[in-house]
Amino acid sequence: MRRSCPKTSSRLAGLAGLVLSAFLVTTAAGAKADTPWDRPVLGFMGVPGLVDMPSGEAMPDGMLSFTVGRVGEVQRHALHFQIAPRLSGVFRYAIYYGLPSSSSFPNLYDRSFDLRYQLATETATRPAIAIGLQDIWGTGISSAEYIAATKSFGRLKATAGLGWGRLGTFNGIDNPLGVLSDRFDTRPDRRDGLNVNGDLRTDHWFRGDAAFFAGLQYAVSDRLVLSAEYSSDDYRFEEDADIGFVHRSPVNLGVTWRTRRGLDLSAAWLYGSTLGVQLSYNFNPKRPNRFPGGVDPAPVPVQPRPPGAAADLGWTQDRTRPGAARTTTATLLAAEGMMLEAMAVSADTATLRVRTGQQTVAAQALGRVARILTRSLPASVETFVIIPTTGTGLPASAITLSRSDLEELETAPDGAWQSYARAAFSDAWPVDRTLAFPEGTFPKFDWSLAPYLTASYFDPDSPVRLDYGLELSARYEPRPGLVFAGALRGQLSDDGAEDLPPSDSKIRRVRTDAPIYARESDGLALSRLTAAQYFRPGPDLYGRVTLGYLEPMYGGLSTELLWKPVTSRLAFGVEINYAQQRDFDQRFGFQDYGVMTGHVSAYYAGAGGFDYRVDAGRYLAGDWGATFAVDRRFGNGIKVGVFATLTDVPFDDFGEGSFDKGLRFEVPFAALTGRSSDRGINRVLRPVQRDGGARLDVAGRLYEGVRDFHRPAMQEQWGRFWR
């Protein structure tokens, strides 16, 4: 549906308009002028744009942008991620306040996803051109498609585009794509009911009437940007919702103030009737942070050997020297936040197992270990075999370094690359049982008392629900690979979990009973209590067996086997579990429901920090299917990923959301503070948590613990070897 306007009758004229919208701004002659635009402005939909309309630009590769804005009685929150140089995604959460009393809810909470792809980058004679799908998974309130082109002329930018769906509702024309097929002529009425289940409505894409939009932006300075646009959105939904919005004009005017810290403040006069304000924050984990080299103390330098010292083997006659070398090495490693597990020293070779601990960048940890060995070992020891182990005591790999190479390359201009080229990577199997453990290393016991915070998002009654309190955790390791661990939580607030409605799930309730667990725990819950054995069953193989109360809602037995060659980017895993549902009070009892669940997994570490993963198998509700995930890791340890799970549960039976999907983030504290730390922030943002596609949450799965110490990951991190 569109506003009543004179209508272009000729589809050929419409098709010409489509071409015009993509290339209108290519008319400038001469080379592209220098511009003050280091990144585009984010519009009120949280995407690169003008005021409320999109542009043809892309953010810098890797950029994360968070926006919160308000247009009248509509508040929008958006997360924009530049996934790759041309591909970006958006998660948007909008709140429509003040719905009429006849509505089911006083406020409407709307979740939506966008995808954008830049078809062409800007050159001296060509604009940047982007195509976008807006609200492809959501209620459909903001559903639209568009193509936009943007050209810069020094401090001035011009944008023109053509929109469909919501962006084709004001002053529309016949769909120019109708010359290709009659199926493009009509679009299902968006007011036939909201897409509550969030189905992927591909039959809407680029269908129905289209409309032009355009605008200009001018950078008064590097800080101040003025914007003006002609919008093709009639805002009919907001008017029909009776929340006080009136569309009087298609012209929007905006101003943006930008800071050097990536913070932007925007204000706009929208549609001739409404004031809009927006705050956005832009952060690029791909670029060096405030502490590119960290703020930890500098590593000890390589200690060169005096000429001829390497030939002196007299120390081998002293039986106390190997023990003294272990003690010195352990002390120096502890000062770096690492732990020496075991060590053996011969006349020319030292082999040692090391836990990197707080040194979370594997290549940097390896470099620091190597430099320590040049100080703690006799001069005749030429070869260092360093075996990094996971936090559970699994030998992950063996990296062999030459002491002479370290002495030569520490200050060489290309020392990082040459040290990588000369290093040898191999499997740490079979496990060397002759390595001696320094006195007091095992058994190892740790405990902590710290606050915890968990959050659930996008409940229809509340955008965010917080559960917080204190957690007492303990860990006992009698020997490497055998771990006893537990956590007891004292809940201080469950943010109104007792007021949540009961689950309406049509399948077995394996996750939607979470509010009952929060309510029935009486403030004290045993969240985990497990015994786990980690082992190396063969070359390139890693194994795990975990028994106990595996997570807050399930206990049982979990087994896992991983095949991961040290030099390969590919890995395969198998996990088989028996899970029994725990009592709601989260003490020691169990309910009647038990299920065999498990997956076959494939992992691939791609170029540019992209990790690809597929898990196929049976989920907690007994459904069969697969989870597809893509994560991007940055050099500072930050990880951003997306995932989606499709199973044999029909979309209607799954309920709201149709299938499990979401975003996940990992931000190590080291990236924020510059100080080495093995802790960080991990969050998963799901539009909704239902019972289909639910997987057991077992701690200590193998792949993540192993991959960082293998050659592909080390290669990406090796620039930090000498730090």
Side-chain angles (χ1 to χ4, degrees):
M1 177 108 183
R2 63 171 183 260
R3 294 280 171 114
S4 129
C5 289
K7 182 176 178 180
T8 304
S9 58
S10 169
R11 284 203 176 97
L12 291 178
L15 187 59
L18 173 61
V19 176
L20 175 65
S21 71
F23 292 100
L24 177 66
V25 291
T26 63
T27 56
K32 178 182 174 182
D34 291 336
T35 71
W37 309 98
D38 61 339
R39 53 182 166 81
V41 169
L42 292 172
F44 276 77
M45 294 300 286
V47 301
L50 299 157
V51 182
D52 209 30
M53 296 291 103
S55 68
E57 304 160 285
M59 297 295 275
D61 183 34
M63 182 75 80
L64 280 165
S65 303
F66 306 87
T67 63
V68 55
R70 181 125 180 181
V71 178
E73 295 303 310
V74 181
Q75 183 170 314
R76 296 188 185 123
H77 309 76
L79 166 63
H80 178 281
F81 178 41
Q82 194 66 39
I83 303 168
R86 296 194 180 193
L87 178 66
S88 64
V90 181
F91 173 70
R92 187 181 303 104
Y93 189 65
I95 306 173
Y96 294 76
Y97 290 104
L99 296 180
S101 57
S102 58
S103 302
S104 302
F105 301 100
N107 304 316
L108 173 63
Y109 301 94
D110 178 48
R111 302 173 295 271
S112 59
F113 289 89
D114 298 4
L115 281 176
R116 287 168 51 95
Y117 185 77
Q118 191 174 51
L119 297 171
T121 58
E122 184 177 357
T123 67
T125 58
R126 182 185 68 201
I129 304 172
I131 187 170
L133 300 173
Q134 183 172 290
D135 193 3
I136 56 175
W137 282 311
T139 60
I141 291 175
S142 302
S143 177
E145 303 81 47
Y146 58 86
I147 184 169
T150 299
K151 188 75 173 68
S152 60
F153 310 95
R155 292 187 175 273
L156 180 68
K157 279 185 180 179
T159 293
L162 188 67
W164 292 261
R166 177 162 179 152
L167 296 183
T169 51
F170 186 85
N171 242 1
I173 61 172
D174 283 337
N175 191 344
L177 297 178
V179 299
L180 304 178
S181 171
D182 291 343
R183 63 190 178 92
F184 289 105
D185 289 343
T186 58
R187 184 185 187 97
D189 189 348
R190 71 179 182 185
R191 293 182 295 169
D192 62 354
L194 298 181
N195 184 16
V196 176
N197 286 340
D199 299 338
L200 190 64
R201 293 184 172 181
T202 57
D203 60 337
H204 286 53
W205 294 357
F206 300 99
R207 305 290 180 86
D209 296 333
F212 293 104
F213 58 87
L216 297 172
Q217 284 182 320
Y218 182 72
V220 179
S221 68
D222 291 346
R223 300 285 188 89
L224 182 63
V225 177
L226 304 179
S227 303
E229 70 179 14
Y230 174 87
S231 171
S232 60
D233 187 344
D234 70 1
Y235 266 68
R236 179 60 58 86
F237 179 86
E238 285 74 11
E239 286 193 332
D240 290 349
D242 195 18
I243 56 176
F245 182 90
V246 179
H247 185 291
R248 293 195 177 103
S249 168
V251 177
N252 298 325
L253 303 174
V255 58
T256 299
W257 179 258
R258 318 182 79 177
T259 72
R260 292 189 177 93
R261 295 292 186 184
L263 195 65
D264 294 356
L265 178 62
S266 298
W269 183 246
L270 295 149
Y271 302 100
S273 65
T274 304
L275 177 67
V277 293
Q278 177 174 279
L279 184 67
S280 64
Y281 177 67
N282 304 277
F283 168 67
N284 196 336
K286 184 179 178 180
R287 296 177 177 175
N289 55 26
R290 293 172 57 194
F291 316 102
V295 297
D296 291 328
V300 298
V302 171
Q303 181 170 298
R305 294 168 290 182
D312 183 5
L313 299 178
W315 69 271
T316 59
Q317 305 304 312
D318 185 352
R319 294 183 178 180
T320 65
R321 289 293 297 275
R326 281 194 297 271
T327 301
T328 302
T329 303
T331 301
L332 293 174
L333 286 173
E336 296 278 4
M338 295 184 280
M339 185 184 83
L340 177 64
E341 273 195 8
M343 185 174 181
V345 182
S346 67
D348 60 358
T349 302
T351 303
L352 65 159
R353 288 172 45 160
V354 180
R355 290 198 194 181
T356 56
Q358 293 182 356
Q359 296 289 338
T360 54
V361 179
Q364 179 173 311
L366 184 68
R368 296 197 170 206
V369 172
R371 277 171 286 196
I372 285 172
L373 295 179
T374 67
R375 293 178 165 266
S376 64
L377 295 177
S380 68
V381 180
E382 168 64 20
T383 302
F384 302 156
V385 182
I386 303 171
I387 302 173
T389 65
T390 68
T392 55
L394 267 180
S397 62
I399 300 99
T400 302
L401 303 172
S402 165
R403 189 171 187 165
S404 297
D405 290 341
L406 298 172
E407 294 170 336
E408 174 191 349
L409 300 175
E410 182 182 26
T411 58
D414 58 348
W417 165 246
Q418 287 198 51
S419 60
Y420 171 77
R422 299 183 192 184
F425 293 81
S426 60
D427 192 9
W429 190 89
V431 177
D432 190 347
R433 306 294 182 184
T434 66
L435 299 182
F437 295 91
E439 185 176 352
T441 305
F442 294 98
K444 182 177 174 60
F445 178 76
D446 295 303
W447 71 278
S448 68
L449 179 63
Y452 77 88
L453 173 68
T454 61
S456 61
Y457 306 95
F458 317 126
D459 181 86
D461 295 320
S462 179
V464 180
R465 291 185 181 273
L466 301 178
D467 172 15
Y468 58 87
L470 293 175
E471 181 178 83
L472 175 65
S473 60
R475 190 175 187 274
Y476 177 67
E477 192 173 355
R479 64 175 187 269
L482 179 60
V483 180
F484 299 91
L488 188 67
R489 286 185 171 181
Q491 189 182 61
L492 299 180
S493 173
D494 61 3
D495 202 7
E498 67 278 358
D499 298 328
L500 292 175
S503 170
D504 62 351
S505 182
K506 297 180 181 179
I507 63 175
R508 175 71 196 190
R509 297 194 300 270
V510 295
R511 289 300 186 201
T512 55
D513 277 342
I516 304 178
Y517 281 89
R519 183 173 64 244
E520 298 296 326
S521 63
D522 294 329
L524 190 65
L526 179 67
S527 57
R528 276 189 173 91
L529 184 62
T530 60
Q533 178 68 64
Y534 297 83
F535 54 95
R536 295 292 311 270
D540 301 327
L541 294 175
Y542 304 82
R544 172 186 60 84
V545 177
T546 306
L547 176 67
Y549 298 89
L550 303 173
E551 53 147 288
M553 297 176 68
Y554 290 90
L557 176 66
S558 175
T559 62
E560 183 182 5
L561 183 66
L562 175 72
W563 176 81
K564 174 66 175 73
V566 171
T567 59
S568 175
R569 294 184 175 272
L570 187 65
F572 294 99
V574 178
E575 181 179 290
I576 301 175
N577 314 302
Y578 177 77
Q580 190 77 27
Q581 192 167 11
R582 296 177 59 185
D583 282 345
F584 292 129
D585 61 9
Q586 296 179 68
R587 303 295 168 80
F588 296 101
F590 289 93
Q591 301 185 41
D592 293 336
Y593 182 68
V595 61
M596 289 293 297
T597 177
H599 292 78
V600 176
S601 303
Y603 312 83
Y604 184 75
F610 284 93
D611 287 345
Y612 307 92
R613 175 173 177 172
V614 178
D615 302 290
R618 194 181 195 215
Y619 295 83
L620 283 172
D623 47 331
W624 293 84
T627 299
F628 305 89
V630 180
D631 296 284
R632 186 172 184 184
R633 299 172 184 265
F634 296 92
N636 55 12
I638 293 176
K639 184 173 80 171
V640 183
V642 296
F643 65 90
T645 300
L646 298 172
T647 74
D648 57 3
V649 174
F651 286 177
D652 290 340
D653 289 347
F654 182 94
E656 184 180 359
S658 298
F659 59 95
D660 189 40
K661 53 188 174 289
L663 311 172
R664 56 191 179 200
F665 305 87
E666 290 184 13
V667 181
F669 287 153
L672 304 177
T673 66
R675 297 186 180 276
S676 295
S677 172
D678 57 356
R679 298 181 180 275
I681 302 169
N682 299 290
R683 287 290 181 268
V684 176
L685 298 181
R686 279 184 169 91
V688 65
Q689 174 75 72
R690 301 291 292 178
D691 297 310
R695 191 171 180 185
L696 197 64
D697 183 16
V698 182
R701 286 191 167 110
L702 297 171
Y703 180 76
E704 291 297 327
V706 167
R707 71 172 299 280
D708 286 345
F709 301 110
H710 284 194
R711 185 168 186 168
M714 283 275 198
Q715 181 179 3
E716 295 179 0
Q717 304 170 353
W718 204 268
R720 298 178 66 100
F721 180 82
W722 291 113
R723 289 187 181 177

